[in-house]
Amino acid sequence: MLFDRSSPPPFYQPQLSEQQRQSLDRLFIGRRSQRHYLKRFASFDRAQRIGMRWNWAAFAMTLPWMLYRKRYLDGLVYAVAGWSFLHLVIALTLVIAENVLVPFLPADWHWPFRFGLAGLIVLAWCVLTAGWADAYYYRVARREISETIEDRLSPEQQQDHLTQEGGTSLWGAGLATSLFLFAIGTVYTVYLPLYATYQSRQRLLLVYELTVNAKQRVDQIYQQSQICPVGLPLSTDQQRLDVASVTVKRSAVGLPTDATCVVEATIEHTSWPIHNLQGERLSFYYQAGRWRCVTSISQRESPRGCLID
């Protein structure tokens, strides 16, 4: 097992001299990053056990690193089982946090907290894989070298076997690049639109609730005085920053001329991914004894019952 720290390490061949072992290691490692891995392998040999060491390539891009190092089957297992396990851990952690921590946080912190918590889990996973990457590669090298010795291969056959099983692969690097671009494309075309849709719906729901509450307040005044309370403050400074700015008017562009009172909400201070909502309007206007709704928001996103202006 990878985390087996017994002494001596798995597949260690004590009969080999240091010079023989280093020569076989060079054949397996190849020319790329040879100094780094020779240093790590020698460290494990001296300690007679494997342990955690840091590998920047495995930290930044574990799967591409594995494919570049010709660990195709292991890379497949890592991609399927490893990431499935990581997603499960993230999901379970978020479910627990949703019931234990999120209810006690301010509403503005909910999504930053969720993303931050998921990011910490991913970071911990990357640190774990980076810490054990060199031990894993050492174990693979010792296994392949052990097979050539146990099978009594000639030096030429040893060289062919270790060169074929070890070293680096431009094909693997190309495959890793393709997978990376596919992942980026999937995030851009699938997950970002889903997140943007969720954020858009949340903002529009808040805008609609704010405008309805403002309309009800204006309606009470209007029914009592038959005067539209133009200039009545209907939204706080914080609501203007977080939701929309609500104003009362006697009329507005695009509304029927016989409308006698208008409550209009203008969405402001939007940022990615809902910047397209900046300046959009949701209005309630009083006409012929009833309030009607009109909006500049697209039909797909507009509240039910509101006309599109």
Side-chain angles (χ1 to χ4, degrees), residues 13 15-16 20 24 27-28 141-165:
Q13 297 291 328
Q15 73 275 20
L16 295 176
Q20 290 175 318
L24 294 172
L27 290 175
F28 180 80
R142 289 290 170 267
R143 182 188 65 199
E144 297 297 338
I145 292 173
S146 178
E147 287 181 1
T148 64
I149 294 174
E150 292 175 357
D151 292 344
R152 302 183 182 278
L153 301 183
S154 66
E156 292 77 12
Q157 291 174 320
Q158 273 189 324
Q159 180 175 351
D160 291 342
H161 177 83
L162 294 177
T163 302
Q164 179 179 354
E165 296 297 326

Side-chain angles (χ1 to χ4, degrees), residues 227-284:
I227 298 175
C228 184
V230 177
L232 180 69
L234 294 174
S235 54
T236 65
D237 291 339
Q238 191 62 45
Q239 285 174 328
R240 294 188 187 98
L241 289 172
D242 296 341
V243 185
S245 176
V246 183
T247 57
V248 183
K249 305 177 181 179
R250 288 192 176 88
S251 63
V253 177
L255 298 184
T257 56
D258 59 342
T260 55
C261 195
V262 180
V263 178
E264 184 176 80
T266 303
I267 302 176
E268 299 175 348
H269 305 291
T270 59
S271 58
W272 183 91
I274 57 172
H275 53 274
N276 60 298
L277 295 179
Q278 177 71 21
E280 299 290 352
R281 301 181 311 279
L282 175 65
S283 304
F284 284 93

